[in-house]
Amino acid sequence: MAAHRKPRTPRTRSLTGHTARTALTLALAGAASATALDGTGHADPPPTPAQVKAKVDKLYRAAEAATEKYNGSKEKADAAKAAVRRLQDEAARRTETLNSARTSLGSAATAQYRTGGIDPSLQLALSSEPDQYLDQVMRADRAGDRQAATITGVRHRLRELDRLREQAGAKQRELSGLQADLKKRKSQITSKLDRARKLLDKLTDEQRARMAGDSGPDRASRDLPRGDLKAPNSRAARAISFSHGALGSPYVWGATGPDSFDCSGLTQAAYRAAGVSLPRTTYAQINAGKRVSRSELAPGDLVFFYSSISHVGIYIGNGRMIHAPNPNAPVRIAPIDEMPFAGAARVV
């Protein structure tokens, strides 16, 4: 009879050492995979209002620097466009004068034909090669003094007309290059402003309102008595008065008024109202008058900021200025020490 053996009970092996570490690693990896698959991973925390403000301010400064370069290119483009128009108008006038002179030669030719013959010089006048005609006709024995003088005038007008057309062509090419530059700079500006707007959209309405309030105009300063500003002369006083009237106006890049401004557009418009012509850009305005130190500032002086001279305001006394800050803040009164001071100019 066969003996019966008692079945063995399987032994449980403890997980120790390398085996335990391997199991733990696999478990954690599996948990991470499951988390990634079911979409329950943790996203980066949203930026704080202070972080958003810092990034937005940086974008606004970059956009403003690009805006000033855009303004400079636009000023050059406008001048080039006006020059092209003047050259074209002058060429049209000279063409009309030239045609009148050639018509008079044609009338003389008609008269000679009726009397029995056409002067060889006048035959050449009707040719399709006027410059070649002029070279030949001046050698013609039968060219009279009066006709010779007319021909000399025609020759001069032809050359002047060619010169004007060449100048107009060169200026048109310059204008085309400037217009391409404007398009590029406009794209840079709008890109930076779009990024700033997307950052602001991450804030709540209350946070955006608080940030706008921090950058808003000093409403109480609207009612400051004008006499207390103690402007050194009437033109500076008128420029300051204009700036006070612009408080609360929106910032729009490239704008020079009357309802919106960028920083140099505001200063230009203010002094234009005072009868003073200023250049369009910050980096040109700082050289428009006498440089003054910070300790010498007087109401009406232009104050400039950042090493790139990319921002400007009008000093009104007591360490304050009126300026157009950025798209997130309208024209307002602010302390001049809220930005890195770069210099000042007295234009009147």
Side-chain angles (χ1 to χ4, degrees):
M1 185 172 176
H4 293 280
R5 296 181 178 180
K6 185 178 180 179
R8 294 182 178 181
T9 302
R11 289 182 300 175
T12 302
R13 295 167 57 189
S14 61
L15 297 176
T16 61
H18 176 73
T19 304
R21 287 194 297 272
T22 302
L24 178 61
T25 300
L26 292 173
L28 292 174
S33 299
T35 299
L37 290 173
D38 65 13
T40 59
H42 294 290
D44 292 335
T48 66
Q51 290 172 328
V52 169
K53 185 178 187 305
K55 291 179 180 179
V56 167
D57 287 346
K58 185 176 180 180
L59 285 168
Y60 281 159
R61 287 197 301 272
E64 189 165 53
T67 296
E68 290 305 309
K69 292 179 180 178
Y70 173 91
N71 291 339
S73 293
K74 187 174 186 304
E75 191 174 41
K76 291 178 182 177
D78 290 344
K81 187 182 296 184
V84 167
R85 194 160 47 244
R86 287 195 302 271
L87 288 167
Q88 290 175 337
D89 290 345
E90 181 64 18
R93 286 193 296 271
R94 290 179 183 259
T95 298
E96 186 176 352
T97 303
L98 175 62
N99 289 339
S100 297
R102 295 186 69 179
T103 297
S104 68
L105 290 176
S107 298
T110 301
Q112 287 197 19
Y113 176 79
R114 287 173 179 169
T115 60
I118 300 178
D119 191 307
S121 64
L122 297 179
Q123 291 178 351
L124 291 170
L126 304 177
S127 72
S128 60
E129 299 292 337
D131 199 55
Q132 181 181 355
Y133 146 69
L134 291 172
D135 289 335
Q136 295 180 30
V137 79
M138 292 300 292
R139 295 194 297 269
D141 292 336
R142 295 171 61 185
D145 291 342
R146 184 174 180 180
Q147 289 177 359
T150 303
I151 291 167
T152 299
V154 169
R155 179 197 294 274
H156 177 73
R157 292 185 183 98
L158 279 169
R159 290 176 177 171
E160 284 294 304
L161 191 56
D162 286 341
R163 181 182 63 81
L164 285 170
R165 286 171 176 165
E166 288 176 5
Q167 288 179 341
K171 191 59 71 173
Q172 183 63 54
R173 290 189 292 274
E174 177 187 345
L175 175 59
S176 298
L178 288 167
Q179 288 172 332
D181 184 64
L182 285 175
K183 183 177 180 180
K184 175 184 175 182
R185 295 193 187 283
K186 181 177 181 179
S187 176
Q188 292 173 342
I189 295 165
T190 54
S191 173
K192 288 176 173 59
L193 295 180
D194 285 345
R195 288 166 60 191
R197 186 174 61 253
K198 289 176 182 177
L199 283 169
L200 290 172
D201 287 344
K202 295 180 179 180
L203 301 178
T204 65
D205 292 342
E206 182 182 353
Q207 289 169 333
R208 282 196 298 271
R210 189 180 302 117
M211 187 180 296
D214 292 341
S215 302
D218 183 353
R219 299 289 178 180
S221 298
R222 284 179 178 272
D223 302 322
L224 283 174
R226 298 297 186 263
D228 288 353
L229 299 176
K230 297 180 181 177
N233 55 66
S234 60
R235 288 185 172 183
R238 286 199 295 272
I240 292 172
S241 178
F242 179 95
S243 301
H244 269 277
L247 287 173
S249 298
Y251 177 102
V252 175
W253 70 269
T256 59
D259 301 317
S260 58
F261 306 88
D262 62 20
C263 69
S264 57
L266 174 63
T267 52
Q268 186 187 50
Y271 269 101
R272 183 170 58 239
V276 179
S277 178
L278 288 183
R280 178 63 183 92
T281 63
T282 52
Y283 47 83
Q285 288 182 3
I286 196 172
N287 295 315
K290 174 188 175 184
R291 293 286 189 97
V292 293
S293 67
R294 184 165 179 164
S295 62
E296 298 173 315
L297 285 174
D301 290 346
L302 301 182
V303 282
F304 300 87
F305 303 91
Y306 302 109
S307 58
S308 58
I309 318 296
S310 59
H311 192 75
V312 62
I314 295 181
Y315 187 68
I316 59 173
N318 298 320
R320 300 175 306 160
M321 66 176 172
I322 296 177
H323 73 140
N326 57 58
N328 196 43
V331 175
R332 69 182 181 109
I333 292 176
I336 64 172
D337 59 4
E338 75 172 9
M339 291 176 286
F341 186 82
R346 185 165 298 155
V347 297
V348 293

